[in-house]
Amino acid sequence: MAYLNRTPSDAAQPVRIGLIGSGWMGAFHAESIARRVPGAVLAAIADPNLESAEALAGTLGTAKVTADAADLLADPEIDAVVIASPARFHSTLIGQAAAAGKHVFCEKPAGLGLQELDAALAAVDAAGVHFQIGFNRRYADDFQAAKKDLAAGIAGTPQLMRSLTRDPGTGSIGHAARIPAWTVFLETLIHDFDTLNWFNEGAEPVEVYAVADALVEPGLRDQGFLDTAVVTIRYSNGAIAVAEANFSALYGYDIRGEVFGSRGMVQAGRSTETAARRFTAEGMSADTPRLNVELFRQAYTDELVDFADAVRARRDGTVPPSKPFTLTPVANDARRALAVALACIESVKQGTPATVNTVAVNEKAVL
């Protein structure tokens, strides 16, 4: 039997994705798109650091490279973009990409202020494109399992919640002086804020009280550097949540979440790489992950698979696979998490509780 001839119109067309930003996270997303996301193609890379972009493109076999994101946005062959540039450019790039008709995946945070983010999301709405924010914890197996249980009512009505981020470290932070102000809220705890919002679906965060300090690098305290924070969040359904972060956990990368409710408790996350333990004369020990791309390797991939599926569904007029719980973090999720982060900044500045959604609307958070 002879092979059947297939024209390009017979075959499924890949989702062609352009990357903006070829740094640490951008490079990992690029590798995922090129090698691990079915039906997607890394079509182009844009970065003002052209040498970095060219090196990444050479590794992954990407033909199109530019120093100007505008070239990528003007390319009619590109369906969607992944924005992994520094956070201060996110809102502007979201708006520009939407205006160009590109579907948008943006790393967190989606902006540094509510006014700029609202303008970007208005552009997304006007263009009718798909928008997704990079809250990767939603795609980790254990966090999804917890969410599925919560959606089924296993824990009942949430009463106490907890989420924590402890970044791996050595007891000092060599690049601390280069970390932008308020990073602990805007780029670290913002993941925890989304997790708590997602776990407590249907309720709104209404008030926060945040305490933060430089406990890892106390010498930078007077410069406004913060590496440790604890936040209390009150929700509209009465639930009380605690989110905490530290930039230097000597034992590894530690991400956990918990919901205690009227019928029980649900937990997600662990500080060990696997469930394996070793018991020797020196005591008990276990391996721990040291990088975000180790702990969340599959989650980072799966969030892009979800994005590509959504883009393909819109382009082809099909229905993406459904889940028994809310999964994809979209525009409102990006805004709610940022609103909590901005309220935390206001709380630290004033030393008092702050109302969510009513602070820092007319100015950027980083001042």
Side-chain angles (χ1 to χ4, degrees):
M1 177 179 177
Y3 285 113
L4 297 175
N5 292 323
R6 290 172 60 84
T7 65
S9 60
D10 291 326
Q13 295 296 310
V15 174
R16 299 181 60 81
I17 300 175
L19 173 72
I20 302 175
S22 60
W24 168 259
M25 203 64 247
F28 189 80
H29 284 326
E31 181 189 350
S32 296
I33 295 165
R35 297 174 176 170
R36 295 187 291 274
V37 178
V41 172
L42 182 63
I45 301 173
D47 195 307
N49 184 341
L50 193 57
E51 183 178 353
S52 169
E54 288 179 329
L56 181 61
T59 299
L60 299 175
T62 303
K64 296 181 179 180
V65 181
T66 178
D68 190 350
D71 295 332
L72 189 153
L73 297 180
D75 189 338
E77 294 186 352
I78 292 176
D79 300 305
V81 297
V82 168
I83 298 172
S85 62
R88 64 185 181 276
F89 301 119
H90 285 183
S91 287
T92 298
L93 287 169
I94 291 168
Q96 291 174 346
K102 311 300 184 188
H103 303 284
V104 181
F105 178 99
C106 184
E107 265 302 327
K108 50 74 191 170
L112 296 180
L114 292 180
Q115 187 177 51
E116 67 176 56
L117 179 56
D118 285 344
L121 296 181
V124 168
D125 187 60
V129 297
H130 176 63
F131 173 83
Q132 185 173 326
I133 184 73
F135 289 139
N136 59 288
R137 288 182 202 180
R138 294 188 179 206
Y139 295 86
D141 288 343
D142 50 349
F143 279 81
Q144 282 199 29
K147 175 61 178 179
K148 183 178 179 180
D149 282 347
L150 292 168
I154 297 298
T157 302
Q159 296 173 347
L160 295 173
M161 300 191 298
R162 186 185 185 203
S163 183
L164 65 85
T165 298
R166 295 173 185 167
D167 290 338
T170 61
S172 64
I173 307 171
H175 62 292
R178 302 194 303 273
I179 296 177
W182 307 116
T183 290
V184 71
F185 297 119
L186 291 167
E187 299 196 40
T188 301
L189 278 166
I190 198 163
H191 278 296
D192 299 271
F193 301 150
D194 177 68
T195 296
L196 293 167
N197 291 342
W198 184 48
F199 278 177
N200 197 20
E201 189 170 0
E204 292 296 325
V206 296
E207 184 182 77
V208 306
Y209 180 63
V211 178
D213 204 343
L215 301 182
V216 182
E217 293 290 347
L220 295 177
R221 181 181 293 114
D222 292 342
Q223 299 177 34
F225 175 73
L226 301 171
D227 54 44
T228 306
V230 177
V231 180
T232 302
I233 308 170
R234 286 188 172 271
Y235 281 86
S236 58
N237 64 348
I240 302 172
V242 174
E244 66 168 79
N246 183 279
F247 286 172
S248 188
L250 273 63
Y251 58 88
Y253 195 36
D254 188 2
I255 306 294
R256 285 176 275 154
E258 177 181 290
V259 176
F260 172 89
S262 58
R263 297 176 59 187
M265 182 175 69
V266 172
Q267 293 181 326
R270 61 169 181 254
S271 56
T272 58
E273 191 170 352
T274 71
R277 302 285 191 277
R278 62 180 68 90
F279 298 82
T280 68
E282 287 72 36
M284 184 184 73
S285 64
D287 293 330
T288 57
R290 298 284 165 166
L291 294 172
N292 57 341
V293 294
E294 293 175 351
L295 181 61
F296 290 119
R297 181 180 181 84
Q298 191 60 47
Y300 281 128
T301 299
D302 288 348
E303 67 179 349
L304 291 174
V305 171
D306 187 29
F307 177 65
D309 285 347
V311 171
R312 186 182 301 106
R314 291 204 179 200
R315 186 194 65 189
D316 300 344
T318 58
V319 178
S322 62
K323 284 190 173 290
F325 52 86
T326 303
L327 176 63
T328 308
V330 292
N332 187 52
D333 299 307
R335 192 187 193 282
R336 290 166 77 228
L338 178 60
V340 175
L342 294 172
C344 290
I345 293 170
E346 187 69 11
S347 178
V348 170
K349 286 179 177 179
Q350 302 300 325
T352 61
T355 302
V356 178
N357 285 339
T358 61
V359 299
V361 175
N362 297 315
E363 62 181 359
K364 287 186 176 181
V366 181
L367 299 176

